[in-house]
Each structure stands twice: as structure tokens, then as C-alpha cells.
Amino acid sequence: MRNKKTIGDVIRELRQNKNISQRELANILGVSNTAIYKIENNDLSVISDIF
């Protein structure tokens, strides 16, 4: 059982606390909503495409 939050968990939690969708966050950050989905699901390979 996992006790620590991943970066994806933290991003999802913060996004949901602000009541914004993945699409809205993607628009704010200038990335695709697929990128947000992948990051929230800990597929961090997408980060190399962003930066």
C-alpha cells in the first residue's frame, strides 16, 4: 500500500480543489489535456516533451 503522494496526486488534488478541469488547466499551462492526464497518472515521460 502506497503512503506517499506522487506529484501527479498533488497536481490532481490542487486542480480539483480549485474546481478546474484537466482541459482548463491544460489551457492555462499551454499544454494538451492529454499531458495533464498523463502527469496526473504518473506517466512523467510527457514532461520531456513539455520542457
Side-chain angles (χ1 to χ4, degrees):
M1 188 168 168
R2 181 176 100 198
N3 291 332
K4 295 183 180 182
K5 289 183 181 180
T6 65
I7 188 68
D9 295 334
V10 172
I11 292 170
R12 178 183 300 111
E13 184 177 302
L14 291 171
R15 178 183 60 76
Q16 290 175 339
N17 286 343
K18 295 288 184 181
N19 294 314
I20 61 175
S21 68
Q22 288 180 340
R23 185 175 305 269
E24 290 170 313
L25 180 58
N27 288 335
I28 291 167
L29 298 176
V31 299
S32 69
N33 58 311
T34 301
I36 300 301
Y37 171 83
K38 287 182 177 183
I39 291 167
E40 286 186 356
N41 287 284
N42 302 304
D43 178 358
L44 302 181
S45 65
V46 72
I47 290 180
S48 64
D49 294 337
I50 295 170
F51 296 102

